[in-house]
Amino acid sequence: MPAQPARYNPADSSEAVVHDLPPIRFDGQLIAIRLQVRRTEDGIWRGRVLFGAPDTEAERSTAEIFCATSEQDLWQSVRDLRDHHLRDLYRSLL
């Protein structure tokens, strides 16, 4: 997955930042995917996957299923996901 962090020098890394990821196809429809990333007070990076159009009733979200000691490690976990993993996550939220 070609996702890359879009920010280089965050003003406050504890604030959640949302990154667009490539969409997936599910039941013939393209589903928008975003990753919400934040750094907790203890220095751990956490992320959740957001599916669907933002701020709509159709938007779904996972718990913070990504956890890493560095932002690079978190992004590596995201890049290791395959489309079938994302489709399964999305299906589990329907």
Side-chain angles (χ1 to χ4, degrees):
M1 175 168 290
Q4 295 293 328
R7 61 189 166 87
Y8 299 98
N9 294 318
D12 181 3
S13 60
S14 66
E15 288 185 31
V17 177
V18 177
H19 302 277
D20 289 329
L21 301 177
I24 59 167
R25 188 164 296 279
F26 184 81
D27 283 343
Q29 297 180 351
L30 281 179
I31 306 297
I33 302 177
R34 295 171 322 284
L35 181 71
Q36 183 182 59
V37 179
R38 70 183 181 98
R39 187 172 181 201
T40 59
E41 291 178 10
D42 60 359
I44 301 296
W45 289 89
R46 299 188 181 276
R48 72 178 64 232
V49 181
L50 308 170
F51 295 96
D55 302 322
T56 65
E57 287 184 25
E59 183 180 39
R60 303 284 189 258
S61 130
T62 66
E64 289 181 324
I65 59 175
F66 296 100
C67 180
T69 55
S70 72
E71 188 175 16
Q72 292 80 15
D73 288 345
L74 184 132
W75 279 101
Q76 185 60 49
S77 297
V78 172
R79 283 190 290 273
D80 287 344
L81 283 177
R82 302 293 180 248
D83 282 355
H84 66 276
H85 296 122
L86 291 168
R87 278 192 299 274
D88 286 345
L89 280 170
Y90 180 68
R91 185 179 304 117
S92 73
L93 297 171
L94 293 179

